[in-house]
Amino acid sequence: MKKAVIYARVSSEGDRQSTERQVRDLCDYAIRNGYEIVHTFEEHVSGAKKNEDRPVLKECLEFCGEQGIDCLLVSELSRLGRNVDEVLATVRFCKDRNLNIFFQKENLTLFLPDGTKNPFLNILISVLGTCAEMERENIQFRLQSGRKRYIENSGRIGRKKGSTKSKEKKEQEYSKVIKELRRGTSVRRTAKLCDVSVSTVQGLRGEFC
């Protein structure tokens, strides 16, 4: 029996999204097509992340190589990423190791039943990957446009008015820091003694010393 591994991914952590449906559907596919599911990898991370920032995907690919897995089962192309370069890097990795990939939504495999490479896969990946990148760029554009409109309508970005500490409050809260600075203690040593950041000490020195 051919050996297969499932890789399932959702973008958010916690209970907001679940990989349950992906895993269930891919298990059904494996049973119908005579695959033995050796392991299931589930990851909660944005598809916009680089491959190097997706530890479960890296572990999955390494496992497939070490265990001689025949096919990696994925619910859809976007589960491997939304950046076309990252997706193609994963596909090349699998092609070089003769590891087949099945994309359920697209009903597409990396290798055809006779073992030859699917000539349409790279074209499809390029098209879908480019569409995904365009959508991300559109989202970023809408966010930036909304931010600009908010500012133009007298909206404030940053700290709320009144959230900045008064001089009296700073003097009270950082009395130890100010005391050390007035003694002539260096900025770095003061930061270490008082367990605060160097930038905080530098700011206090400019204000009080």
Side-chain angles (χ1 to χ4, degrees):
M1 183 177 285
K2 295 175 290 185
K3 296 188 292 184
V5 158
I6 290 174
Y7 173 76
R9 181 189 65 77
V10 290
S11 297
S12 63
E13 298 182 0
D15 299 327
R16 288 181 56 196
Q17 291 181 310
S18 170
T19 58
E20 182 179 353
R21 178 190 58 78
Q22 296 178 41
V23 173
R24 182 182 64 247
D25 291 348
L26 290 170
C27 282
D28 290 343
Y29 170 84
I31 292 171
R32 293 195 307 270
N33 291 273
Y35 282 107
E36 174 194 359
I37 300 298
V38 177
H39 197 79
T40 296
F41 292 87
E42 301 175 55
E43 188 160 45
H44 294 256
V45 66
S46 169
K49 291 279 189 180
K50 292 184 177 181
N51 289 349
E52 61 192 41
D53 297 323
R54 299 170 64 185
V56 177
L57 177 60
K58 290 172 64 177
E59 182 185 357
C60 173
L61 295 175
E62 290 172 3
F63 179 90
C64 289
E66 293 169 357
Q67 300 299 319
I69 301 301
D70 297 296
C71 190
L72 173 62
L73 307 180
V74 185
S75 66
E76 58 184 277
L77 181 72
S78 65
R79 297 307 92 193
L80 289 185
R82 295 191 178 277
N83 180 300
V84 65
D85 293 329
E86 298 296 323
V87 175
L88 288 175
T90 300
V91 169
R92 281 194 294 268
F93 179 93
C94 294
K95 284 173 65 176
D96 291 344
R97 290 157 181 77
N98 292 314
L99 170 62
N100 204 359
I101 310 175
F102 169 67
F103 299 102
Q104 188 171 35
K105 181 180 178 181
E106 292 80 15
N107 192 28
L108 191 68
T109 55
L110 182 58
F111 295 101
L112 299 175
D114 62 3
T116 59
K117 296 175 184 176
N118 191 328
F120 300 105
L121 186 66
N122 281 352
I123 297 173
L124 179 64
I125 287 174
S126 296
V127 171
L128 295 180
T130 299
C131 290
E133 286 187 295
M134 288 174 63
E135 176 59 20
R136 285 202 299 121
E137 289 173 359
N138 287 337
I139 291 172
Q140 291 174 351
F141 174 80
R142 289 195 292 269
L143 287 173
Q144 292 171 356
S145 178
R147 180 178 181 274
K148 181 180 179 181
R149 191 177 303 112
Y150 178 73
I151 294 173
E152 289 174 348
N153 291 331
S154 302
R156 287 181 59 86
I157 292 179
R159 290 184 178 179
K160 293 181 179 180
K161 187 176 181 180
S163 64
T164 304
K165 295 175 184 176
S166 65
K167 187 170 183 177
E168 292 76 15
K169 190 171 182 179
K170 286 182 185 178
E171 190 169 15
Q172 182 180 0
E173 184 176 347
Y174 297 107
S175 59
K176 186 178 178 182
V177 175
I178 295 169
K179 186 176 180 180
E180 289 295 335
L181 288 171
R182 287 174 176 169
R183 282 179 177 173
T185 308
S186 69
V187 170
R188 290 191 178 279
R189 178 156 179 76
T190 298
K192 186 175 181 180
L193 289 171
C194 302
D195 194 26
V196 296
S197 68
V198 171
S199 60
T200 296
V201 178
Q202 290 174 330
L204 292 169
R205 183 177 64 174
E207 190 171 354
F208 292 97
C209 305

